[in-house]
Amino acid sequence: MERTYLMVKPDGVQRNLAGEIISRFEKKGYKIVGLKMFRMSRELAEKHYGEHAGKPFFESLVDYITSGPVVAMVIEGKDAVSAARDMMGATNPLKAAPGTIRNSYGIEIGRNVIHGSDSPASAAREISLFFKEEEIIEYSRDVDRWIYE
Ligand code: IDP
Ligand code: MG
């Protein structure tokens, strides 16, 4: 079992898509083990997107991600990192495969509705950046035997 960090970005929250997006991961069968809403500070945003520092879109990316509240979650399940990336679709919503979250709800790369960790290492880093240990809830679900064989 693997965990990944997902975040409905400020445009997704403003457009009332948070519930819809959370629901996709719930319905697939992933277990939500952390969930909260907060507004990111510039300091945290610059840390989170550190790999993009210096790129032409960096300042507007930080403006965007700090422009309003985000809904952050940690989900757990088989191959959660890569499966969630597939469910999100390509970074540019116009290039994202039909049916993916970014294809369904976005048009522009700078308003692409959701963030998801791109590797298990990024997931570990991002989960610890945004969640305290006690905010991650360990629990079992009876339904798991109907999701996993
Ligand atoms: P990802 O979110 O699919 O992992 P990254 O390349 O890590 O994509 O970029 C992080 C975020 O930065 C993207 O989700 C998007 O919001 C923004 N971004 C990436 N490339 C561009 C660009 O060329 N113009 C504007 N924003 C961009
Ligand atoms: Mg990325």
Side-chain angles (χ1 to χ4, degrees):
M1 291 298 165
E2 191 172 71
R3 287 178 178 171
T4 193
Y5 176 76
L6 302 176
M7 180 169 69
V8 182
K9 293 178 172 181
D11 51 333
V13 175
Q14 291 291 330
R15 293 175 54 206
N16 301 319
L17 294 170
E20 189 74 33
I21 290 170
I22 293 167
S23 188
R24 287 199 179 203
F25 295 97
E26 276 192 302
K27 286 176 184 164
K28 184 169 176 69
Y30 284 123
K31 178 161 73 173
I32 298 169
V33 295
L35 182 67
K36 65 178 173 181
M37 175 184 253
F38 63 94
R39 185 165 179 167
M40 217 185 284
S41 65
R42 287 194 84 81
E43 190 190 359
L44 206 51
E46 285 168 4
K47 207 166 174 182
H48 172 60
Y49 281 128
E51 63 171 309
H52 300 300
K55 293 184 186 170
F57 61 85
F58 184 67
E59 284 305 315
S60 64
L61 174 58
V62 172
D63 288 344
Y64 163 47
I65 211 70
T66 59
S67 64
V70 297
V71 171
M73 64 183 149
V74 178
I75 62 163
E76 183 181 284
K78 188 175 182 183
D79 282 333
V81 174
S82 67
R85 291 285 292 190
D86 289 346
M87 289 168 71
M88 288 162 49
T91 307
N92 182 344
L94 291 182
K95 302 267 162 60
T100 60
I101 293 166
R102 285 167 166 171
N103 170 276
S104 298
Y105 304 125
I107 295 173
E108 292 224 284
I109 194 165
R111 295 288 183 273
N112 62 1
V113 177
I114 183 170
H115 167 82
S117 309
D118 64 7
S119 67
S122 304
R125 190 180 73 86
E126 292 170 0
I127 291 168
S128 65
L129 190 59
F130 294 109
F131 281 85
K132 296 183 189 134
E133 226 167 273
E134 62 266 29
E135 291 175 326
I136 306 289
I137 315 296
E138 308 259 4
Y139 63 103
S140 61
R141 296 185 308 181
D142 292 344
V143 77
D144 275 343
R145 72 189 181 95
W146 300 106
I147 294 169
Y148 297 103
E149 66 174 30

